[in-house]
Amino acid sequence: MKKKILLTGTSGFLGSHIAKYLLNFDFDLIALKRTTSDLSRCKSFKNKITWINVDTEGVWKEKVIKLKPKYIIHSAWIGVDSEGRDDIIKQTKNISFLSDLLYVSKSTNLTKFINFGSQAEYGVLNRKVSEDFEANPTNLYGVTKLASQQILKTFCKLNKIDWVWLRLFSFVGENQNSNWLIPQLISKITNKETLDMTMGHQKYSFMDVKDFSSIILKILNSNIESGVYNVSSEEPYTIRELSDLISSKLNVPQKINWGVLPYRLNQSMHIEGDMTKLKNQIGEFNLVTLSYSLEKLISKNKKYI
């Protein structure tokens, strides 16, 4: 019998990649959506998933409970964009939704609850960090993520549910929102448009989303200890280096005005997570290079070009 997974955020960038990947293995996927959800990222596999509409008030929870998922992967979050990160109404709605999922988990004899956190929980970062780096978020998004982690931890301990909180760093892959950094750079450079930027000395580590999906599978199939784990590439690039790499892959000169924009308040200058803790739990894994990811993205994903 296939193991059942409840996946939230399936229509999103990360969720859609995870769903597509896990469908190749011994899992049945139950996915939550809204009436207004755009399922375009799921077009090739949406008929292989059991969809439940969360706009049907409390009915959706009872439907999930009847299906008895073995795992929950909670990818959904509202207020991720820059405009929503300090919106108190949006951010607190995330805690309410987590509460609904915890109610479901208590009623289904859940084996494992995997929740997506964020490097924003750490606050300002200027070096590679491990999980023991003090959490000191500087926006409501990070604060709400951190609060949700504590809620999940306490609830799961009380109800004897294994829990995994993944502090996610940066990603690269197909179908990412067009206003995020890499899609925006690809689009601007391809179309020979001028782009105003900061000095571009910030360092980011971008993990291929397909590698992330394979890590999720390893977590599902392992006896990982409950806790907080970083998920990050360990190959940092400055924005200038990233722009040069994209320009070379496209074979198009870039028109970037470096230094026109100021660094934002509380700007992190080196955003990279140490994954030693996670590797010690689920074993080593090979990650593709950012150069390889960009080459594949540029050749396949025409929506940015």
Side-chain angles (χ1 to χ4, degrees):
M1 182 180 294
K2 290 187 176 183
K3 299 173 183 176
K4 293 181 180 179
I5 298 174
L6 172 64
L7 176 63
T8 72
T10 310
S11 63
F13 170 57
L14 293 179
S16 60
H17 278 279
I18 291 167
K20 184 176 181 180
Y21 186 83
L22 293 181
L23 284 169
N24 294 316
F25 298 91
D26 197 28
F27 297 105
D28 278 334
L29 290 188
I30 307 160
L32 302 182
K33 72 177 188 69
R34 296 193 177 278
T35 304
T36 56
S37 292
D38 177 4
L39 301 183
S40 58
R41 289 186 175 104
C42 308
K43 184 177 179 180
S44 66
F45 57 85
K46 66 180 181 180
N47 292 333
K48 299 178 182 179
I49 293 176
T50 301
W51 295 93
I52 296 177
N53 193 329
V54 297
D55 291 333
T56 54
E57 300 298 333
V59 178
W60 73 265
K61 287 176 278 188
E62 302 310 318
K63 287 183 177 180
V64 173
I65 290 169
K66 286 181 180 178
L67 290 170
K68 299 185 182 302
K70 187 178 180 66
Y71 309 105
I72 289 178
I73 302 175
H74 184 23
S75 166
W77 196 271
I78 59 172
V80 176
D81 58 355
S82 57
E83 292 78 13
R85 291 199 165 203
D86 282 314
D87 186 322
I88 187 64
I89 295 175
K90 286 184 177 179
Q91 294 303 328
T92 52
K93 283 182 179 178
N94 291 303
I95 293 180
S96 177
F97 186 48
L98 174 61
S99 299
D100 288 337
L101 293 174
L102 294 176
Y103 167 80
V104 168
S105 68
K106 187 176 181 180
S107 305
T108 58
N109 295 317
L110 198 76
T111 298
K112 191 176 294 181
F113 196 120
I114 301 171
N115 203 115
F116 293 177
S118 170
Q119 52 82 19
E121 297 168 58
Y122 290 121
V124 178
L125 294 179
N126 293 307
R127 62 178 176 86
K128 184 177 183 177
V129 295
S130 62
E131 293 81 357
D132 58 5
F133 186 85
E134 181 182 4
N136 188 24
T138 59
N139 55 33
L140 289 178
Y141 169 72
V143 168
T144 311
K145 284 283 190 182
L146 189 61
S148 297
Q149 183 255 308
Q150 291 295 318
I151 292 169
L152 178 70
K153 174 183 176 180
T154 302
F155 181 91
C156 288
K157 279 187 174 182
L158 291 172
N159 292 281
K160 296 181 173 56
I161 299 170
D162 291 338
W163 62 279
V164 178
W165 184 272
L166 301 178
R167 282 193 178 143
L168 307 184
F169 285 68
S170 301
F171 293 96
V172 56
E174 292 181 71
N175 297 320
Q176 198 170 23
N177 291 344
S178 60
N179 61 335
W180 289 79
L181 179 60
I182 288 179
Q184 188 176 35
L185 284 172
I186 291 174
S187 176
K188 294 292 185 181
I189 293 173
T190 299
N191 295 309
K192 299 180 181 180
E193 297 177 16
T194 301
L195 181 62
D196 292 339
M197 297 286 284
T198 65
M199 288 299 293
H201 297 310
Q202 312 96 303
K203 286 184 179 180
Y204 293 88
S205 296
F206 294 92
M207 177 182 286
D208 193 290
V209 70
K210 292 181 181 178
D211 284 338
F212 177 51
S213 298
S214 69
I215 288 172
I216 293 296
L217 177 63
K218 293 191 75 169
I219 291 172
L220 287 168
N221 289 333
S222 73
N223 293 319
I224 186 171
E225 293 179 3
S226 293
V228 177
Y229 297 91
N230 288 336
V231 178
S232 169
S233 164
E234 296 177 297
E235 183 192 21
Y237 277 75
T238 66
I239 292 180
R240 281 179 179 257
E241 291 169 338
L242 173 64
S243 178
D244 287 343
L245 184 58
I246 291 172
S247 180
S248 68
K249 297 290 183 186
L250 290 167
N251 196 28
V252 176
Q254 53 189 295
K255 296 181 179 180
I256 298 180
N257 295 324
W258 297 108
V260 171
L261 302 179
Y263 290 122
R264 67 175 181 268
L265 182 66
N266 296 318
Q267 174 68 61
S268 293
M269 296 303 294
H270 185 166
I271 303 177
E272 180 184 4
D274 186 326
M275 286 210 296
T276 302
K277 182 180 176 182
L278 181 59
K279 290 177 181 178
N280 287 341
Q281 288 287 315
I282 66 174
E284 292 288 334
F285 36 82
N286 295 320
L287 304 178
V288 300
T289 65
L290 178 60
S291 177
Y292 176 86
S293 297
L294 288 174
E295 195 168 306
K296 292 295 183 183
L297 178 61
I298 288 168
S299 65
K300 289 184 178 180
N301 197 347
K302 303 301 182 183
K303 73 179 286 186
Y304 297 147
I305 298 177

